[in-house]
Amino acid sequence: MLAPLAAVMLFFAAIVSALGYLHVEEMDREQEAVQRDVEYTQQRLRLRLLERQEQIMRMAREISNREIDIDDFRQRAASMLDQYPEVQGMAWVDDKQRTRASFGMGGNFPGSALSNYDVLSYGARDAGYELTRQVKQPLYIQPPRTKDDVPVLQLFVPLSERGRFSGVLLTEYSVDGLFRYGVPSEVSARYAVSLQDANGKLLAGTSMPDRKLVGRALPWSKPANEYTMPVSPVGVGLVLRAQAYRASLGVIGSGLFWLVSALSVLTAWTLIANWRHTRRRVQAQQALLSETNFRRAMENSMLTGMRAMDLQGRITYVNAAFCQMTGWSESDLVGRTAPFPYWPESDREHLNALLEEELHGKTTPGGIQVRVKRRDNVLFDARLYVSPLIDAMGTQTGWVTSMTDITEPNRVREQLSASHLRFTTVLEALDASISVAPLGSDEMVFANKLYRQWFGVQAGGHLQLVAEAGMPNNPTNDESMDSVDSFAGLPTSALPDSDSESTETYISGLGKWLEVRTRYLSWVDGRLAQMVIATDITTRRLAEEQAATQAERAQNSSRLITMGEMASSVAHELNQPLTAINNYCNGMVSRIKDKQISEADLLVALEKTAKQAQRAGQIIQRIRAFVKRSEPNRTMSEVSIMVAEAVELAEIELRRFNVRLNHYVAARLPMVMVDPILIEQVLVNLLRNAAESIDMALRQTSDRIIELRVLPRLIDNKQVVEFSVQDSGKGLSPEVMSRLYEAFYSTKADGMGIGLSLCRSIVESHLGRMTAENIYNGTDVSGCRFSFWVPLTEGGALTFAEPPAAQPNLG
């Protein structure tokens, strides 16, 4: 088959080579002739342009040296245009782009040959002018033109006067005239000579069409001989091209050519058919090779070990991952039968039994866990999955096993189990009940030991704690009548970061006080759940109750002590109305006995006696209400009433110390949620301390003044009512200031040291604060001010205004 084909191919190659050699040799000789003639023509054109350029540059130097004027320029330009037909026009332009003189620049533009119109405004000459100004060298420029414009070539020669640019001498060549008078006639007769621009566009002359486009060339033949070179000194902007004329048909009319062509077509058809067949085979082989390489790459890249066995239990294939896991190479494993080298000696009986079950088709879908021994005798845990190996015909040829190293998952699982055990142990040992239940469900998903001891394993205790705490868990409304889920608005993301809610409640079934804290969380299955943590605070509540009882007793004792200290003042205060009653009664008895009193006088005396008795009763009732022991009772109280009752009670002591009290209460103060008796107790204590401080300072009568002011304030963005008591005593020393609220510390000889400590406790129990500060007159201490404030309830509105001068109360 190959010998005839080889002979035909050799014969065809010889004929084609001979014809090709002759054709190439002919084309080379013709190409050399064309190149030689084009170079000769280019030299002629170059010399002609250089001669004109030298003449123009000489004229430019004369213009720069002012050797010729405008008339001389026109005469010499006319002479040059008459002498050299390729020169189309000349113009003299100064440095301000004004046309000084021109000749022959009309062309396709308006004006006569002698007009001095602005030549730079036509034909894109201004661009050449600017470029010549920059480089200051003669420039050849071929301006852009439209389809109907005659192609021209512009020469810009710069004018320089004392080294300064003074204009240009513009000369325009006709490209057609340059071709007509510059190309030798013998060259244009032998070749199709043309002048073209840089883009190959015809400017002058003739050009032959591409012979391949007209179908006159053989497939291997070259186009007509031609040669192209730029015209110097113009550059690539003007190209000279010559194409040789071809008149003969060459070998196209030869019978040998057609014979060779027919044989070539037949041979080509045979070769193409053979090539197509060969290509299909190569493509199939490449596809098979690519598929094989891809499957091999997948097998070698898998982290799962693969092992194939035939029906007799002999290993027929292992992948790279299986070899890497066991440490044995493919050559060590392929062809081996049980026992395999990666079986541990202690597990061989068990593994052999599993292999027998595998060969009999008894496989476990979830796989089996076994221990595998590496070549270095290190054991690891693995899970094996076995499935039948089916060939393309649907016949089972063996078994394929995948092996996964589960040593690390087992270790993590054991650590998680241990961590879960530790966590569960901690939760079980907590002294708080912990329970978790999904919202809207009676299912209990978690409960620790203390919860089970209190409530059992059901969710009833969880729901009871939620209900006692007043927190929502299971909606009781009928959702069937509402299109909105009752859980709408509950958080759905970032639940573990939400703040927990806390409340204290008493569970009668347990007989305990519990602090119940709840929070929402997403359970492990994604459901929204509620966690309840209940802590037994019975002991703490009992301690708090006892502390409250002791505080109440201390407050009552303090009031009794205050009344005891004020006993002499109270006795003096009561002595005045009682003495008046006694005098009224003795006077009425004497006048009745002497029958010297009328009924009207007797009625007046009795009314005065009743007023004095009423006054004595009010003093006793005020003292009785102040010292009477009662349960703490916080109510909405009027500030002005509390201040008035405290002032009334304290004035008894102030008169004894001969101290004047000025007090001011701001108008329209809202009511405050306080225990009025305790607030009065604080005010009485502060007023008594102020009076004693003034008395110890031995102030003059005019300086024995106490100021009590009650004003609205805004402290830490909270609306409060501030009570302040300011005296004119000696103030507080630094030592006393540092121990001011210390229990059982007193500066009085007979003091117990519980007054101010108790006052601060009362104020802080009302969520307020107490402060003390000295009042300075320059560098001297002129008194002391005690202040405390209590917050307003929500919705209380305050009007902040400067208080007027305090109204004096002389007692």
Side-chain angles (χ1 to χ4, degrees):
M1 281 182 65
L2 296 179
L5 180 59
V8 170
M9 295 301 297
L10 289 175
F11 175 76
F12 175 72
I15 295 299
V16 170
S17 298
L19 295 176
Y21 174 76
L22 295 175
H23 180 71
V24 169
E25 186 177 6
E26 181 183 359
M27 293 295 293
D28 289 342
R29 288 195 301 269
E30 188 175 328
Q31 181 66 27
E32 291 176 359
V34 172
Q35 181 175 352
R36 184 171 54 252
D37 293 338
V38 169
E39 291 176 352
Y40 169 71
T41 304
Q42 191 267 353
Q43 188 68 18
R44 288 280 301 273
L45 290 173
R46 176 176 175 275
L47 292 175
R48 192 174 187 88
L49 288 173
L50 288 177
E51 289 175 358
R52 304 294 88 73
Q53 180 178 338
E54 182 63 29
Q55 294 176 358
I56 295 169
M57 291 179 66
R58 188 182 306 114
M59 185 183 300
R61 285 192 297 269
E62 293 175 354
I63 293 174
S64 299
N65 297 331
R66 299 183 179 181
E67 296 178 1
I68 61 175
D69 55 10
I70 295 176
D71 295 333
D72 294 338
F73 170 78
R74 288 175 176 170
Q75 292 177 3
R76 297 183 65 172
S79 175
M80 183 171 289
L81 265 63
D82 292 338
Q83 186 176 359
Y84 306 108
E86 67 271 18
V87 179
Q88 181 173 299
M90 299 181 69
W92 174 10
V93 183
D94 61 10
D95 56 347
K96 296 182 181 180
Q97 299 187 5
R98 294 177 303 185
T99 303
R100 300 290 302 277
S102 65
F103 190 87
M105 297 300 291
N108 296 330
F109 306 101
S112 66
L114 298 178
S115 64
N116 290 335
Y117 67 94
D118 187 6
V119 299
L120 294 182
S121 59
Y122 300 96
R125 297 164 180 164
D126 52 350
Y129 177 88
E130 293 297 332
L131 187 59
T132 305
R133 178 195 289 268
Q134 295 175 7
V135 301
K136 296 181 180 180
Q137 295 290 336
L139 292 178
Y140 285 94
I141 295 178
Q142 184 179 342
R145 62 188 180 88
T146 62
K147 183 177 180 181
D148 298 331
D149 291 342
V150 176
V152 295
L153 181 64
Q154 297 174 349
L155 171 60
F156 290 84
V157 177
L159 302 178
S160 177
E161 184 177 350
R162 296 181 181 178
R164 183 180 62 83
F165 178 80
S166 61
V168 297
L169 181 57
L170 171 60
T171 305
E172 283 190 350
Y173 293 91
S174 171
V175 178
D176 184 68
L178 189 63
F179 172 81
R180 186 178 306 166
Y181 298 101
V183 178
S185 58
E186 63 273 14
V187 175
S188 59
R190 290 197 300 267
Y191 309 103
V193 183
S194 62
L195 291 176
Q196 301 178 352
D197 59 10
N199 299 323
K201 193 172 183 181
L202 182 65
L203 300 178
T206 58
S207 178
M208 296 175 56
D210 193 351
R211 299 182 63 186
K212 287 187 176 181
L213 299 177
V214 297
R216 299 186 61 188
L218 293 175
W220 61 84
S221 64
K222 297 181 180 180
N225 285 330
E226 63 178 49
Y227 187 71
T228 302
M229 65 182 305
V231 177
S232 177
V234 178
V236 295
L238 186 63
V239 178
L240 176 63
R241 181 185 183 188
Q243 296 174 293
Y245 294 114
R246 296 291 302 275
S248 64
L249 297 178
V251 296
I252 296 180
S254 174
L256 180 60
F257 170 78
W258 292 111
L259 177 61
V260 172
S261 298
L263 293 175
S264 299
V265 170
L266 180 61
T267 305
W269 177 83
T270 306
L271 292 176
I272 290 174
N274 188 32
W275 173 77
R276 292 181 61 188
H277 176 71
T278 304
R279 187 182 64 172
R280 285 194 295 267
R281 291 188 58 184
V282 171
Q283 289 176 348
Q285 291 176 356
Q286 290 178 348
L288 179 60
L289 182 60
S290 299
E291 183 70 19
T292 304
N293 292 336
F294 175 72
R295 293 180 179 273
R296 175 65 66 177
M298 286 185 60
E299 293 171 1
N300 293 334
S301 301
M302 290 177 60
L303 299 179
T304 302
M306 302 296 296
R307 179 197 66 184
M309 296 188 303
D310 58 15
L311 295 177
Q312 288 74 35
R314 182 180 293 102
I315 296 177
T316 58
Y317 167 79
V318 289
N319 69 343
F322 192 92
C323 296
Q324 185 178 2
M325 287 182 184
T326 60
W328 299 89
S329 64
E330 183 178 1
S331 59
D332 295 332
L333 297 177
V334 173
R336 296 289 295 269
T337 57
F340 300 118
Y342 52 83
W343 281 4
E345 288 78 1
S346 58
D347 298 345
R348 286 191 174 182
E349 293 184 2
H350 173 65
L351 294 175
N352 194 36
L354 292 177
L355 179 61
E356 289 297 328
E357 293 180 357
E358 177 182 342
L359 294 177
H360 288 84
K362 300 177 182 180
T363 59
T364 304
I368 55 176
Q369 180 174 337
V370 297
R371 293 194 304 166
V372 179
K373 182 183 71 173
R374 292 191 175 95
R375 192 162 191 168
D376 56 1
N377 295 325
V378 176
L379 299 180
F380 67 91
D381 296 329
R383 181 168 293 276
L384 304 180
Y385 299 90
V386 182
S387 59
L389 181 60
I390 309 298
D391 62 7
M393 304 301 295
T395 304
Q396 180 178 354
T397 59
W399 302 90
V400 61
T401 304
S402 62
M403 181 173 68
T404 305
D405 186 355
I406 60 172
T407 304
E408 183 63 19
N410 284 347
R411 185 186 65 81
V412 173
R413 188 179 297 108
E414 292 173 358
Q415 291 182 352
L416 288 176
S417 299
S419 176
H420 176 72
L421 179 60
R422 291 193 297 269
F423 180 70
T424 305
T425 303
V426 171
L427 291 181
E428 292 291 324
L430 286 176
D431 58 352
S433 164
I434 301 177
S435 59
V436 180
L439 290 179
S441 173
D442 295 336
E443 177 188 0
M444 178 67 66
V445 296
F446 177 81
N448 69 342
K449 180 179 179 180
L450 188 58
Y451 176 88
R452 297 194 298 272
Q453 291 177 355
W454 286 352
F455 305 104
V457 297
Q458 302 299 324
H462 176 91
L463 300 177
Q464 180 184 359
L465 291 176
V466 173
E468 292 288 345
M471 302 173 185
N473 179 275
N474 191 3
T476 57
N477 60 319
D478 187 5
E479 295 183 1
S480 61
M481 302 300 293
D482 193 353
S483 60
V484 179
D485 187 1
S486 61
F487 297 122
L490 289 178
T492 59
S493 62
L495 290 175
D497 296 332
S498 60
D499 295 334
S500 60
E501 300 177 359
S502 176
T503 186
E504 296 180 359
T505 183
Y506 180 76
I507 305 299
S508 58
L510 299 176
K512 298 178 182 294
W513 278 96
L514 300 180
E515 181 185 13
V516 181
R517 298 189 302 274
T518 67
R519 71 183 303 170
Y520 297 103
L521 51 85
S522 293
W523 194 241
V524 294
D525 57 1
R527 289 184 294 175
L528 185 63
Q530 189 176 29
M531 179 176 66
V532 177
I533 303 175
T535 306
D536 187 359
I537 58 171
T538 304
T539 304
R540 191 188 76 188
R541 287 297 294 261
L542 292 177
E544 291 176 352
E545 292 175 0
Q546 292 177 359
T549 303
Q550 295 297 334
E552 181 185 354
R553 291 176 180 174
Q555 295 164 4
N556 292 331
S557 299
S558 176
R559 292 196 293 273
L560 291 174
I561 292 172
T562 301
M563 288 296 100
E565 294 174 349
M566 295 173 58
S568 61
S569 299
V570 172
H572 176 73
E573 190 72 16
L574 288 175
N575 186 52
Q576 293 181 2
L578 291 178
T579 301
I581 292 172
N582 184 46
N583 292 334
Y584 283 132
C585 290
N586 290 334
M588 285 186 293
V589 169
S590 298
R591 295 184 65 179
I592 291 173
K593 287 181 179 181
D594 297 337
K595 298 181 180 181
Q596 296 178 355
I597 187 170
S598 62
E599 184 178 352
D601 294 337
L602 180 61
L603 183 60
V604 171
L606 289 176
E607 289 177 353
K608 292 182 178 180
T609 303
K611 288 183 179 179
Q612 295 297 327
Q614 184 179 5
R615 179 185 175 192
Q618 288 176 349
I619 295 173
I620 295 173
Q621 182 66 26
R622 180 66 252 161
I623 295 174
R624 181 176 180 275
F626 183 73
V627 300
K628 179 182 178 181
R629 180 173 180 174
S630 61
E631 295 295 330
N633 182 23
R634 295 190 182 184
T635 59
M636 299 298 295
S637 306
E638 289 281 356
V639 175
S640 58
I641 295 176
M642 291 189 298
V643 172
E645 293 181 354
V647 168
E648 181 182 354
L649 193 60
E651 282 179 345
I652 299 175
E653 191 75 358
L654 299 183
R655 283 192 292 270
R656 184 170 70 89
F657 287 109
N658 193 23
V659 175
R660 185 170 71 245
L661 173 64
N662 298 335
H663 72 278
Y664 168 76
V665 179
R668 296 188 297 277
L669 285 176
M671 302 177 70
V672 292
M673 177 64 73
V674 296
D675 188 331
I677 297 297
L678 296 181
I679 299 300
E680 291 174 18
Q681 181 178 350
V682 174
L683 290 173
V684 170
N685 279 338
L686 294 180
L687 292 171
R688 287 188 66 251
N689 288 344
E692 292 175 356
S693 176
I694 294 174
D695 187 64
M696 292 175 63
L698 302 177
R699 300 294 186 187
Q700 298 294 328
T701 302
S702 59
D703 296 331
R704 302 171 76 87
I705 300 174
I706 297 176
E707 292 187 358
L708 169 62
R709 295 194 174 204
V710 184
L711 301 171
R713 297 289 187 195
L714 187 65
I715 299 177
D716 296 335
N717 295 325
K718 293 191 296 185
Q719 292 182 343
V720 301
V721 176
E722 184 185 56
F723 302 80
S724 65
V725 177
Q726 179 178 333
D727 60 52
S728 57
K730 292 183 178 180
L732 302 173
S733 64
E735 179 184 0
V736 174
M737 186 73 75
S738 62
R739 304 180 62 184
L740 191 61
Y741 302 109
E742 184 178 331
F744 306 110
Y745 173 77
S746 176
T747 59
K748 304 175 187 177
D750 56 349
M752 298 184 62
I754 63 173
L756 286 178
S757 176
L758 189 61
C759 288
R760 188 176 72 166
S761 299
I762 292 173
V763 172
E764 291 181 351
S765 68
H766 286 79
L767 304 179
R769 293 291 182 271
M770 174 177 283
T771 60
E773 59 180 341
N774 287 328
I775 306 300
Y776 290 89
N777 183 9
T779 58
D780 299 331
V781 177
S782 61
C784 179
R785 180 189 295 119
F786 279 86
S787 303
F788 70 91
W789 55 263
V790 292
L792 290 176
T793 57
E794 295 293 333
L798 285 174
T799 301
F800 299 95
E802 288 297 327
Q807 299 297 325
N809 186 356
L810 301 180

